[in-house]
Amino acid sequence: ARRPGTVNSVLAGSIAAAVGDAITTVDVKKNGTTILSGVITLDSANTNRVGEAGVVSVSPFVAGDWFEVVVTATIGTGTLPTGVFVSVEMDQNGI
């Protein structure tokens, strides 16, 4: 982060949903620690091209903080979702 601010929302989804018991989880971390109350799970119950909202539990950040998106895929006996997308909406003070 170049300036202090707030994470407003996190959304993740896929172009094609998983099949069977395959899942992909998405987490957003600030300085190595999750900012979500739980990972976003993309599985066969999701709808193609429709994002799933994460619950942001830690929203403020300061200049110098860094963010990462962690995607973990577990294929199981199915097919993983394809075209995974993630949107993180932030407001930075002074912009």
Side-chain angles (χ1 to χ4, degrees):
R2 297 176 75 185
R3 294 182 172 89
T6 304
V7 176
N8 297 326
S9 65
V10 176
L11 184 78
S14 62
I15 293 172
V19 176
D21 65 351
I23 63 167
T24 296
T25 61
V26 176
D27 194 4
V28 177
K29 296 183 177 188
K30 177 182 79 173
N31 302 324
T33 303
T34 188
I35 65 167
L36 301 177
S37 63
V39 297
I40 300 170
T41 300
L42 305 177
D43 58 20
S44 61
N46 299 114
T47 302
N48 295 348
R49 296 181 169 84
V50 176
E52 299 291 321
V55 177
V56 178
S57 61
V58 178
S59 61
F61 58 88
V62 298
D65 283 346
W66 53 271
F67 293 87
E68 64 183 308
V69 174
V70 178
V71 178
T72 304
T74 306
I75 194 164
T77 59
T79 305
L80 291 169
T82 58
V84 173
F85 58 86
V86 181
S87 171
V88 181
E89 180 185 311
M90 302 176 178
D91 285 331
Q92 288 188 289
N93 301 334
I95 294 180

